[in-house]
Amino acid sequence: MEQSSLELFGLIGYPVKHSLSPVMHNAAFKKFNISGKYGLYEKKPEELESFFKSLDKSDIYGLNVTVPYKEKVLKFVELEKEDAYLKIIQSVNTIVRMNCKWIGFNTDIPGFEISLKENFNPANKKTAMLGAGGVARSVAYVLAKSGAEEICIFDIDKRKSNNIVNMVKELFPNMKISAAASIEALNIKGKDLLINATPIGLKKEDPCLIKKEMLHESLFVYDLIYNPMETKLLSLAKGVGSKVSNGLGMLLYQGALSFVIFTGTDVPINEIVDEMRIGLKEGIKKICMKK
Ligand code: NAP
């Protein structure tokens, strides 16, 4: 990391106001006595280009990237050379200024993998996913790498689901993976794992994409959304007896791994995770008090 008197980090996306990333990262900066401040950079799509053009002159040294820019930022960064598979996955969530260049990394992949496997082992399991955007590319990669028996994807834009199918086939030619034409065609009744990788559920007024009769009690439902902590999908799934997880675990692990990339710290990752978990709990407490 290049040093400056004021080291700024943050999250770029649209919207980002719901994000708990600042409380996590700022807790870690404080605890480990590393100079840095993490903020929110909410940029509309039409502001993205000028924001990136202004970055080199700014005091920003690292950013996390969220919805809907994980793929779109690729044109502004170079990919971490050791991550050869990132050239195929084409989704980054962490960018850092290094030697006058912006380098892109992906900590969603290990973050999601660690969090999912704390709850559910996808090996030999049939899986369905809603959404085929930036983070879905990382999720599909983890499922295929972990030996899932099948992956079926639905996105309102079928071209995006097909893109993921092609991406996974390139990396894992024998993987059984398909793009569904509708939510019904996902055949969730016949699946072991359902993942929501759409932003539907972030807003109070969002509908639930799934009907109760599509669910079953031996399904594991993982919603990548973490605020609200229980989306309509998760409460519906709990109602039929399914085991569920929200996206807090993933947020925590991807955040801790990004923090190491941002700062180059040699603090052990488990200590960063523990500190970020404390920050997260505080952040969640504040949200609950506001409601
Ligand atoms: P994204 O790139 O915008 O992708 C979302 C995808 O879902 C888009 O392809 C979108 O299509 C599609 N979609 C929207 N409405 C849909 C519907 N009704 N049915 C099916 N597909 C639909 O966003 P992302 O970066 O992948 O993030 C997705 C979600 O994951 C967000 O809620 C984000 O907060 C969450 N996330 C959580 C973590 C974590 O750490 N827990 C990390 C990353 C992301 P259109 O583009 O056509 O709308």
Side-chain angles (χ1 to χ4, degrees):
M1 189 181 76
E2 291 167 10
Q3 296 296 314
S4 117
S5 53
L6 186 61
E7 295 150 23
L8 299 180
F9 300 88
L11 176 69
I12 178 169
Y14 187 79
V16 292
K17 286 193 184 86
H18 65 280
S19 175
L20 288 170
S21 289
V23 292
M24 265 171 30
H25 283 269
N26 287 327
F29 279 124
K30 195 169 166 197
K31 170 75 181 179
F32 303 115
N33 212 12
I34 299 172
S35 126
K37 195 167 179 241
Y38 192 102
L40 293 174
Y41 299 89
E42 184 160 291
K43 299 290 163 194
K44 293 187 178 139
E46 60 272 24
E47 295 170 324
L48 199 63
E49 183 114 26
S50 60
F51 177 72
F52 269 88
K53 277 187 181 149
S54 68
L55 265 189
D56 287 344
K57 291 189 200 107
S58 76
D59 292 319
I60 298 172
Y61 284 86
L63 289 169
N64 284 127
V65 183
T66 189
V67 52
Y69 300 135
K70 286 177 196 279
E71 295 159 274
K72 293 193 177 88
V73 298
L74 284 164
K75 68 173 182 179
F76 305 110
V77 304
E78 285 181 26
L79 290 178
E80 223 291 89
K81 286 197 176 50
E82 282 166 30
D83 288 345
Y85 60 89
L86 265 194
K87 287 200 171 57
I88 299 170
I89 295 173
Q90 294 278 306
S91 171
V92 298
N93 75 322
T94 305
I95 61 169
V96 184
R97 196 193 294 198
M98 284 174 168
N99 303 322
C100 304
K101 284 182 188 158
W102 283 89
I103 311 290
F105 299 78
N106 184 318
T107 67
D108 278 338
I109 292 172
F112 173 69
E113 184 170 9
I114 298 168
S115 169
L116 177 69
K117 288 183 180 171
E118 278 180 347
N119 300 286
F120 180 91
N121 182 353
N124 304 313
K125 294 291 193 297
K126 294 182 176 164
T127 67
M129 177 160 65
L130 299 164
V135 78
R137 299 179 70 82
S138 302
V139 169
Y141 172 74
V142 170
L143 296 176
K145 182 171 90 92
S146 306
E149 183 184 325
E150 183 190 346
I151 306 171
C152 194
I153 308 164
F154 171 70
D155 191 288
I156 34 175
D157 184 346
K158 200 170 177 203
R159 280 172 313 173
K160 285 191 184 173
S161 312
N162 280 329
N163 286 343
I164 296 192
V165 169
N166 294 336
M167 171 202 95
V168 169
K169 287 268 184 207
E170 198 175 336
L171 291 161
F172 306 91
N174 297 324
M175 185 72 218
K176 188 175 171 199
I177 179 165
S178 58
S182 64
I183 290 183
E184 287 72 19
L186 282 175
N187 181 26
I188 296 165
K189 276 264 188 247
K191 300 293 187 290
D192 305 296
L193 171 68
L194 171 66
I195 294 169
N196 178 33
T198 76
I200 307 299
L202 277 177
K203 295 190 212 125
K204 230 184 194 165
E205 63 274 21
D206 280 347
C208 182
L209 295 177
I210 300 297
K211 293 193 188 95
K212 192 175 176 183
E213 54 274 21
M214 295 174 174
L215 301 170
H216 61 91
E217 66 175 355
S218 22
L219 186 69
F220 188 88
V221 182
Y222 191 113
D223 197 329
L224 266 63
I225 293 174
Y226 59 83
N227 184 9
M229 274 176 281
E230 188 170 303
T231 56
K232 288 175 188 160
L233 170 63
L234 291 190
S235 45
L236 197 69
K238 274 166 90 174
V240 302
S242 306
K243 291 206 171 70
V244 303
S245 171
N246 64 23
L248 269 182
M250 176 178 177
L251 177 76
L252 198 57
Y253 292 119
Q254 62 78 32
L257 293 162
S258 294
F259 188 81
V260 171
I261 296 172
F262 286 155
T263 61
T265 180
D266 53 11
V267 173
I269 195 83
N270 58 324
E271 290 181 29
I272 301 171
V273 167
D274 288 347
E275 202 50 41
M276 286 189 157
R277 202 188 300 274
I278 295 169
L280 257 183
K281 279 191 184 151
E282 284 299 307
I284 292 167
K285 217 193 274 171
K286 279 186 193 150
I287 292 173
C288 293
M289 276 159 59
K290 274 189 204 159
K291 282 182 181 163

